[in-house]
Amino acid sequence: MEEKTLLNTREVARFLDVNEKMVYSLIADKGLPATKATGKWLFPRALVEQWLENQTVNYPKTATTLPPYHGLLIIAGSNDILLDKALSLFNRLYPDHIAAFGNLGSLGGIRALRRHQCHMASSHLLQENEQEYNFGFAREELGQAPGIVNFCKREQGLLVAKGNPRKISGIADLGQPGIRIVNRSAGTGTRLLLDTGLRKAGIDGSRIEGYDREVSRHLDVGLEVLSGRADAGPAIHAAAGLLNLDFIPIRWERFDLLIQKDRFFEKGIQLFLGFLSESSFRELADDLPGYDLSLSGKMVFPHEAAEE
């Protein structure tokens, strides 16, 4: 039997082993993920499972940690076209070092950082205030604030076919009858941005054809649109530029690198962060639309801390 992606109040109460009245208290007091887009409470199962894991206390530590740096730099997390190009260039410029990437999505990268499986996590998770990125998610997952260095700012939006034949102007149009989309995986910042937009538009994503069809990269979203298998999909502007698709902008976002503070000054990490200030890196973005490197290589801090 296929597992439901959305639970009603009775089902989520059974899942959490509490009575239904307690569910409403958990929504208000503990931030239990829920939506009322259809007029009744619904609970995305994947987000409920994530919320439950985040409430765990005395989280068991891994038995092993990353070995001392010996030339292999591991980055895990969110996929990005400029990051892919940067890793290739880094490996050419510094042949005594190898930079490797694991495409786990933003949340997966932060969890890999928690388990000491990578040196840096790439992430662009939009917080509830829709102003800040990554800090709250990092504190929840890691139990402390990591060092955060900006990799780039980039433009997110919807990819559509050349000429925009379905006349899509924004996320709200995805709820129109007959629109087919392709989606990114749960736990990615791009999926979070889409779900936030759908919720604000009062649209139940599960009712959109293709909402459950997930791909792992921005370019894969573009290929689905280019092939005609989807009318639209969430991705960065650079993917539209490479595939000659039209782009419907949603917002600029901050794409960061998260680093555990006790490893921040390791040789490979500092070499890569210094590389972000080099002209050879910055030239990579010249032919890619939708990138802003004004913050690249700089430490970033929560707004409230910066204002103190």
Side-chain angles (χ1 to χ4, degrees):
M1 183 176 177
E2 187 176 347
E3 191 176 78
K4 293 181 65 175
T5 58
L6 288 171
L7 306 176
N8 61 33
T9 304
R10 184 182 302 106
E11 290 166 336
V12 80
R14 189 181 307 121
F15 179 76
L16 296 174
D17 195 22
V18 299
N19 62 49
E20 291 186 35
K21 290 184 178 180
M22 177 61 73
V23 170
Y24 303 117
S25 175
L26 292 175
I27 295 171
D29 300 333
K30 298 291 186 179
L32 177 65
T35 176
K36 215 172 186 181
T38 61
K40 60 180 181 180
W41 285 113
L42 291 173
F43 305 83
R45 185 185 183 97
L47 295 183
V48 171
E49 291 173 347
Q50 176 188 324
W51 172 84
L52 193 60
E53 181 176 345
N54 289 343
Q55 305 305 308
T56 302
V57 297
N58 300 325
Y59 205 100
K61 294 184 177 180
T62 55
T64 59
T65 61
L66 280 170
Y69 183 77
H70 61 284
L72 176 62
L73 177 67
I74 303 172
I75 303 173
S78 179
N79 163 247
D80 179 74
I81 292 169
L82 181 60
L83 179 59
D84 290 342
K85 289 180 174 292
L87 293 173
S88 296
L89 178 60
F90 180 87
N91 288 334
R92 291 199 304 272
L93 293 178
Y94 304 99
D96 293 334
H97 301 263
I98 299 173
F101 178 71
N103 184 10
L104 306 178
S106 292
L107 194 57
I110 295 175
R111 289 174 175 169
L113 193 68
R114 182 189 70 200
R115 296 190 294 264
H116 307 289
Q117 294 173 325
C118 64
H119 297 92
M120 295 190 285
S122 56
S123 178
H124 59 112
L125 292 168
L126 180 64
Q127 295 181 185
E128 285 188 10
N129 63 13
E130 297 189 35
Q131 299 295 322
E132 196 53 89
Y133 290 86
N134 300 318
F135 295 108
F137 291 93
R139 281 192 294 267
E140 284 187 18
E141 291 292 334
L142 303 175
Q144 59 182 346
I148 299 184
V149 175
N150 180 249
F151 178 77
C152 68
K153 291 188 287 185
R154 61 184 195 173
E155 193 173 24
Q156 282 270 18
L158 299 174
L159 305 189
V160 297
K162 200 67 178 175
N164 193 8
R166 301 305 300 267
K167 307 302 179 188
I168 295 168
S169 61
I171 289 177
D173 290 338
L174 301 183
Q176 294 178 1
I179 295 292
R180 300 166 302 156
I181 71 168
V182 59
N183 210 345
R184 294 295 306 284
S185 304
T188 63
T190 302
R191 173 67 168 267
L192 175 62
L193 180 62
L194 177 67
D195 286 346
T196 298
L198 290 173
R199 185 172 63 251
K200 290 169 68 175
I203 298 172
D204 179 359
S206 65
R207 296 181 181 274
I208 302 174
E209 183 179 352
Y211 178 83
D212 294 325
R213 183 152 52 95
E214 301 173 351
V215 296
S216 61
R217 303 182 307 157
H218 293 276
L219 281 175
D220 294 331
V221 172
L223 291 172
E224 290 296 302
V225 174
L226 189 65
S227 70
R229 290 188 291 267
D231 299 310
I236 56 175
H237 196 168
L242 289 175
L243 296 173
N244 196 29
L245 296 169
D246 279 1
F247 180 76
I248 312 300
I250 296 176
R251 68 179 292 148
W252 282 85
E253 66 177 10
R254 213 182 61 228
F255 185 90
D256 296 330
L257 299 172
L258 283 62
I259 308 148
Q260 295 279 32
K261 290 180 179 178
D262 60 347
R263 303 193 75 106
F264 191 86
F265 292 102
E266 289 193 354
K267 182 176 181 180
I269 292 172
Q270 286 300 304
L271 189 63
F272 189 84
L273 296 181
F275 162 71
L276 300 182
S277 299
E278 298 292 333
S279 60
S280 56
F281 162 70
R282 292 173 178 271
E283 288 167 1
L284 293 175
D286 288 348
D287 297 324
L288 294 172
Y291 283 109
D292 176 351
L293 304 187
S294 59
L295 273 180
S296 296
K298 298 179 181 178
M299 292 282 292
V300 291
F301 304 92
H303 287 314
E304 59 270 20
E307 292 170 358
E308 289 178 357

